[in-house]
Amino acid sequence: MATFLYKLGRLAFRRRHFVALIWVALLTLAGVGAASAPPAGNSSFSIPGTEAQKAFDLLEQRFPGQSADGATARVVFKAPSGEKMTDAGNRATVEKTVDDLADGSEVASVADPYQGDAVSKDGAIAYASVKYDVSGMELEESTKDALEDAAQQARDAGLTVEVGGDALQAVPETGATEIIGIAVAAVVLVITFGSLVAAGLPLLTALIGVGIGVSTITALASALELGSTTSILAMMIGLAVGIDYALFIVSRYRAELAEGREREEAAGRAVGTAGSAVVFAGLTVVIALVGLAVVNIPMLTKMGVAAAGTVAIAVLIALTMIPALLGYAGRRVKPAGAKGRLLGRSRKGAEQPEGRSAGRSEGQPKANLGTRWASFVVRRPLAVLLLGVIGLGAAAIPAASLELGLPDDGSQPTSTTQRRAYDLLSDGFGAGFNGPLMVVVDGKGATSPNDAFTSVSDEIKGLDGVVAVTPPAPNKAGDTATITVVPDSKPSSVQTEDLVHAIRDAGGDVKADTGAETLVTGSTAMNIDVSEKLNDALVPYLVLVVGLAFLLLIVVFRSILVPLKAALGFLLSVLAALGAVVAVFQWGWLSGLMGVEETGPVMSMMPIFMVGVVFGLAMDYEVFLVTRMREAYVHGEKPNQAVVTGFKHGARVVTAAAVIMMAVFAGFIGSSESMVKMIGFGLAIAVFFDAFVVRMAIVPAVLALLGKRAWWLPRWLDRALPNVDVEGEGLRTAEERRSDPDEDRELVRT
């Protein structure tokens, strides 16, 4: 591995024009594809094999032409104070609005409030339901404009009018904080390298990689039915890992220059050593993201695969374009320890490390902060370990109260018309009106379908938590009917979930008596099934992803205990991060600071998505930090000294990488999409816990306690595993032979 990547790095350095041309061409091609591609369709929470999906499919089959997947809008009207919606003037305004809406070319139907019992009991609020032939993301702008214009005309007539539903669905915005995140990353890179050129390389390559990845996703969005959130998450993850991977290679390049190597040789060795760690770190992220397919939710699978593709691009760019750009940069990228005038050092001092004879003794390096911290940890490993574990355990306590759900209009900011429409409907018709349940009764197997329909309706009316039940509405064939049930609780509540299960249980009794099958669907039931599916898949997903990565890390570290410690540390950090998410988004702690206007259940995808992404990122830091420790141990240092050496070379750059990743993720907290906001916060706090508590404190403490046992591997397994040479041992030996053929340095192997 190291030898191949070494040759690749030198080749990219020499053929930099060709390499740069390839990546620019790919970026241009992806950009052209994205610009010419049709808009993405509306992604749905379809779950093959679940009852809600089965009912949805049955509706499309038995009620053809009703556009089951078409966009919907609820135009909600509120009368001025002291008036009612049934007053003649207000009624005339509403009826004119309904007529205007019905003229739209993509409108399937419009329900008049006065003919469909859609006026509240106190007469203050009414609503008109609009059904479209196409999904929200496929609606033409002229149709959306017509909807907004009709609502505005009713406002001009004196009514309060808001529009809910997905007809006005827009691509979520991330806000200015995303730019702030990138700016923070730039500042950290400048501080780390002390050079604008060296700092600019990781940013440039990361932006190119994200540009290619996101443009490709946009180009394929319509064909693969990718939602807008897919590209945002791919951008979030791709930008973070792209900067980090390039940062590690540039940092190693500067360290090789400080050892006195020529620039082409330094580029080759940087890619051969740090590049090997990048490959394995990237593999763990890709495994974690692609592994989301085991959940069997198409939208989540597509999100994971798209993000994994962006990570793969980031790895390839780091291995090829970084050495090419280093060739262009030449002497403008200084050796490690030589930061030039930007941070107050002279140019003369900056050039000193170019030769081996420069300055300080290699045997007595100046102790940096990482060295001092690691020395403290190896002296007090038990105290540091206990403090870290107890701290993360305390942060994880709120996770015990985790409630899962999916966002709806009630979780939108109060500044949006969708949220205001949601609140008006709740005020006028009750909290459960925003999440009605659709019960589908399949009477094909019943002796008397009509009797079965009536039995189901009567059973539902007798259940607790039901406000209203509409009469059964059969299809033309008379073998299937729909019944709308309005709960007395809001869609995302536990009470509504209990009602769904109660209806399904009652349907089982009806089937035993009549032979008719009862299915519950609708957006609320679909969300409940999504949450249950995700909960059921969490343990199998953990076993698969952690198991595969565990095997991969055994190959990398040639140890059993080091990968085991890495996996256990990850569990601590992800539980602590989930606890923080619950505290902010469910309990409301610091919600104002995070821009969370409505607390409620945590998004049901959050735990499994966080497990996948955070595990991959956690293994990044594990690989980058611990490979330097193993490299020192393999070359003869004692276990505790190897820990200190690993921190000496890796702590600064891992710290910079973690701060950059936190800044990038935190930038997405400003998104208008509640799901993106929650994921941005969750990943940022998870990186903080994992990088600074687990990898910087718990890992060295455990390694210090284990000593040589940390690197133990059964002999039979040692012989069976392939030697991937992540430490670049082969490169070091070959280089030593070339520089001094008489020197015979014996390498210590485990």
Side-chain angles (χ1 to χ4, degrees):
M1 171 71 77
T3 303
F4 169 76
L5 293 178
Y6 165 79
K7 293 177 180 178
L8 179 64
R10 295 195 63 165
L11 178 65
F13 188 95
R14 289 197 306 271
R15 307 297 184 194
R16 46 188 172 271
H17 303 307
F18 180 69
V19 172
L21 181 62
I22 288 178
W23 284 113
V24 171
L26 288 175
L27 178 61
T28 303
L29 183 64
V32 171
S36 58
N42 187 26
S43 59
S44 61
F45 291 106
S46 62
I47 324 170
T50 60
E51 180 173 315
Q53 187 64 43
K54 183 179 178 181
F56 185 83
D57 296 338
L58 186 65
L59 283 174
E60 290 190 325
Q61 178 186 348
R62 304 283 176 86
F63 292 82
Q66 289 196 5
S67 303
D69 59 345
T72 59
R74 275 181 171 175
V75 183
V76 187
F77 306 90
K78 183 179 180 181
S81 179
E83 299 181 17
K84 293 185 177 182
M85 291 305 305
T86 52
D87 294 346
N90 294 335
R91 180 165 183 159
T93 299
V94 172
E95 289 177 342
K96 182 180 184 305
T97 303
V98 170
D99 291 339
D100 292 341
L101 290 172
D103 291 337
S105 59
E106 294 180 309
V107 175
S109 63
V110 182
D112 189 317
Y114 303 104
Q115 298 178 6
D117 193 24
V119 180
S120 62
K121 291 181 179 180
D122 61 3
I125 297 172
Y127 70 92
S129 297
V130 186
K131 183 73 175 178
Y132 294 91
D133 292 322
V134 297
S135 66
M137 295 300 290
E138 295 171 320
L139 283 176
E140 295 181 359
E141 287 301 320
S142 59
T143 301
K144 296 181 179 181
D145 292 341
L147 176 60
E148 292 176 330
D149 290 343
Q152 187 57 48
Q153 290 178 12
R155 292 189 189 103
D156 294 340
L159 299 178
T160 298
V161 185
E162 304 296 344
V163 182
D166 60 353
L168 295 181
Q169 183 177 6
V171 176
E173 300 175 355
T174 54
T177 50
E178 178 188 350
I179 305 300
I180 296 174
I182 296 176
V184 172
V187 171
V188 173
L189 287 169
V190 170
I191 294 174
T192 301
F193 292 136
S195 163
L196 290 175
V197 175
L201 295 183
L203 279 176
L204 176 62
T205 55
L207 290 173
I208 291 174
V210 167
I212 294 173
V214 173
S215 297
T216 302
I217 291 170
T218 304
L220 299 175
S222 179
L224 300 181
E225 298 182 354
L226 303 177
S228 56
T229 307
T230 302
S231 59
I232 292 180
L233 296 178
M235 180 193 304
M236 180 191 303
I237 297 169
L239 190 61
V241 300
I243 294 175
D244 278 7
Y245 294 164
L247 166 65
F248 283 108
I249 291 179
V250 173
S251 177
R252 187 61 183 252
Y253 171 76
R254 296 177 70 240
E256 297 296 334
L257 289 180
E259 295 291 329
R261 295 183 175 86
E262 295 295 329
R263 294 186 178 272
E264 182 179 328
E265 175 69 13
R269 286 183 57 83
V271 175
T273 51
S276 297
V278 165
V279 169
F280 281 99
L283 274 177
T284 59
V285 180
V286 169
I287 287 173
L289 291 171
V290 174
L292 292 170
V294 303
V295 183
N296 196 26
I297 295 179
M299 189 197 73
L300 191 59
T301 300
K302 292 172 185 177
M303 288 168 57
V305 172
T310 308
V311 172
I313 292 172
V315 171
L316 292 175
I317 282 187
L319 297 177
T320 56
M321 196 169 186
I322 282 293
L325 293 180
L326 289 173
Y328 283 119
R331 292 181 175 271
R332 287 187 289 271
V333 176
K334 303 294 181 183
K339 300 187 179 180
R341 293 173 182 170
L342 186 61
L343 295 183
R345 298 192 181 189
S346 67
R347 293 286 181 187
K348 182 177 179 181
E351 297 297 330
Q352 184 180 2
E354 287 285 355
R356 284 188 181 275
S357 60
R360 59 177 174 78
S361 169
E362 192 171 330
Q364 294 180 342
K366 182 181 178 180
N368 57 22
L369 182 60
T371 303
R372 295 195 295 271
W373 168 250
S375 299
F376 169 77
V377 173
V378 297
R379 288 197 306 269
R380 301 285 188 273
L382 187 58
V384 172
L385 176 62
L386 290 176
L387 185 62
V389 171
I390 292 172
L392 291 178
I397 289 175
S401 303
L402 178 67
E403 295 179 6
L404 298 178
L406 285 173
D408 52 23
D409 284 348
S411 61
Q412 298 248 14
T414 53
S415 58
T416 63
T417 186
Q418 291 94 333
R419 171 61 187 277
R420 291 195 292 264
Y422 180 98
D423 292 340
L424 284 176
L425 288 172
S426 296
D427 294 341
F429 301 91
F433 193 78
N434 283 291
L437 305 174
M438 179 173 287
V439 179
V440 182
V441 185
D442 182 2
K444 268 197 171 182
T447 305
S448 175
N450 287 330
D451 291 343
F453 302 156
T454 303
S455 296
V456 172
S457 179
D458 292 340
E459 286 283 345
I460 295 174
K461 289 177 181 177
L463 297 176
D464 294 334
V466 175
V467 172
V469 179
T470 64
N475 62 349
K476 290 182 180 180
D479 58 6
T480 307
T482 60
I483 301 171
T484 301
V485 180
V486 178
D488 66 359
S489 52
K490 63 181 183 178
S492 58
S493 67
V494 176
Q495 292 83 356
T496 301
E497 182 177 349
D498 293 339
L499 178 60
V500 169
H501 291 302
I503 294 174
R504 288 172 174 171
D505 292 340
D509 297 335
V510 172
K511 184 175 183 179
D513 296 336
T514 66
E517 185 176 11
T518 303
L519 305 170
V520 184
T521 188
S523 59
T524 301
M526 184 70 79
N527 289 350
I528 291 170
D529 286 351
V530 168
S531 299
E532 292 180 352
K533 183 86 170 180
L534 289 166
N535 287 340
D536 294 341
L538 183 57
V539 173
Y541 175 70
L542 266 174
V543 172
L544 174 68
V545 173
V546 176
L548 288 176
F550 181 78
L551 295 176
L552 185 66
L553 292 178
I554 289 177
V555 174
V556 174
F557 296 125
R558 308 192 76 79
S559 164
I560 298 292
L561 296 179
V562 170
L564 180 62
K565 171 264 307 170
L568 294 177
F570 149 74
L571 290 175
L572 276 175
S573 59
V574 79
L575 285 174
L578 277 175
V581 169
V582 170
V584 173
F585 291 88
Q586 188 175 310
W587 292 359
W589 294 4
L590 302 178
S591 57
L593 181 63
M594 298 297 168
V596 180
E597 297 186 13
E598 182 73 17
T599 59
V602 173
M603 182 186 64
S604 55
M605 278 189 289
M606 192 67 192
I608 200 163
F609 191 82
M610 182 178 285
V611 164
V613 177
V614 174
F615 182 77
L617 301 180
M619 295 308 102
D620 280 3
Y621 301 122
E622 181 76 13
V623 170
F624 289 130
L625 193 60
V626 180
T627 47
R628 294 306 295 260
M629 298 178 189
R630 175 169 170 77
E631 185 177 343
Y633 179 74
V634 164
H635 291 97
E637 293 189 9
K638 294 181 179 180
N640 282 5
Q641 183 57 40
V643 171
V644 176
T645 301
F647 266 76
K648 169 183 173 292
H649 292 294
R652 179 183 179 88
V653 71
V654 167
T655 300
V659 172
I660 289 169
M661 197 168 283
M662 288 168 55
V664 172
F665 288 149
F668 289 85
I669 295 175
S671 173
S672 61
E673 178 70 36
S674 59
M675 180 171 70
V676 177
K677 179 191 292 288
M678 189 179 295
I679 290 177
F681 171 80
L683 294 182
I685 197 70
V687 168
F688 171 78
F689 287 144
D690 195 85
F692 293 105
V693 181
V694 175
R695 309 303 153 188
M696 291 289 186
I698 293 178
V699 165
V702 171
L703 291 178
L705 289 171
L706 291 176
K708 290 184 178 180
R709 294 186 298 274
W711 308 107
W712 170 81
L713 187 69
R715 290 184 180 274
W716 63 268
L717 186 55
D718 189 26
R719 291 191 297 268
L721 291 177
N723 183 14
V724 295
D725 189 19
V726 176
E727 302 86 5
E729 181 180 320
L731 296 180
R732 182 185 180 99
T733 305
E735 190 271 338
E736 286 171 353
R737 290 198 199 101
R738 288 196 302 271
S739 62
D740 189 358
D742 296 330
E743 182 180 0
D744 182 16
R745 178 176 298 178
E746 181 181 356
L747 299 179
V748 179
R749 295 181 180 273
T750 56

